[in-house]
Amino acid sequence: LSSCTQLTDYFLAQTYTQDLNMDGPSKGLLAEAFASVMDKMWSNQHKVIAPSPLKYEVGRARKEFQGCKQQDSQELLLILLDRLSSDLNRVRVDKKEKKKKNEKDNDNKENEKEAEDKKKKKEASAPKTVEEKFKRFWSSFVSRNDSVVTDLVTGVERYTIRCMKCGNASTRFGTYNFLSVDIPAKWSMFGSTSVNLSDCLATYVQEEVVEDVKCDKCKGKRRKSKGTKLETLPDILIIHLKRFKMGWHSGEKIKQFINFPINGLRVNKLMAGKDEKKTAYDLIAVSNHYGGTYGGHYTAYGLNPLNKSWYLFDDKRVKEVKPSSVVTREAYLLFYKRRT
């Protein structure tokens, strides 16, 4: 995250203080702790820092992180993005209005006619086209979630379920802060072969078929296809390579080498009917995991935005490396920045 220029500048310039929201789960404390880490990392005054306050706040958010046992870096990323989003949410909720709304929601005295009228009004105002549905979804989302996380890493994906008999389709939307992608197995007569990142990304939008689902149009239980496409792309695209089968502390680790581009990643094949061929991403950071499911070691590669050099971060050791050395079989999380 430190290699994400827009995010780092946001904290170093103290802009975050204007957005601090004390109504969130961590009362702004995690954002303050994160800001302190960014400040020390970029102050040019420390060779090594101990992010103890940040670790403490992460431990408050998730008790598994309170001790010294190794945890999943993707889980850490989830916590950081979630709590930063809450701590820096520009949407302020009036507590009195929230209480009134809760009381209204809990009021079960509404008569049948009022309920029916409300249902008809809702149906009449429902968006008709996919574009209208998207606009309403996004408007509703940012009315509740508006932070630097939303600005930089949040994208929208489109889910489509289609009846394979009559073709009737329904569409809904959701948000994502990173793409968790499967690692497909590739074999040749010589054994397993390398897999390209594009192969992994293709699994994210691969349609699946479900059986015996009722169709609202033709009324019977039918086979339906379920598909996911990306509606919008974020400035910072984070890709999680699903190396751990059946969870972090059980199952097995997939140690397949994934060949991913340092420059010019294109994801237009993942898009939902939009021409995004001009959109390209460049790699800015990698989180690596060495070892297996019960332990191991984490390192990171980060691109310094000032001198455009790559660095290896390995506990107390930091050294400059060649760009070609950042593509390894230990890569676990990939951070890409949209090219401007």
Side-chain angles (χ1 to χ4, degrees), residues 79-80 150 167 224 312 320:
I79 296 169
L80 287 175
T150 313
K224 288 193 173 186
L312 167 67
E320 188 174 346

Side-chain angles (χ1 to χ4, degrees), residues 14 22 30 37 40 54 72 159 161 163 195 203 225 248 261 310:
Q14 300 288 303
M22 302 304 178
L30 188 140
V37 171
K40 289 178 180 178
L54 181 59
D72 186 1
Y159 315 113
I161 301 177
C163 176
V195 174
T203 68
S225 63
W248 165 244
W310 281 93

Side-chain angles (χ1 to χ4, degrees), residues 161-165 208-215 220-226:
I161 301 177
R162 190 182 308 277
C163 176
M164 298 181 73
K165 182 174 178 64
E208 61 176 306
V209 176
V210 291
E211 305 284 348
D212 297 328
V213 181
K214 186 178 180 181
C215 176
K221 286 190 174 182
R222 311 298 186 194
R223 298 176 76 210
K224 288 193 173 186
S225 63
K226 293 174 62 178

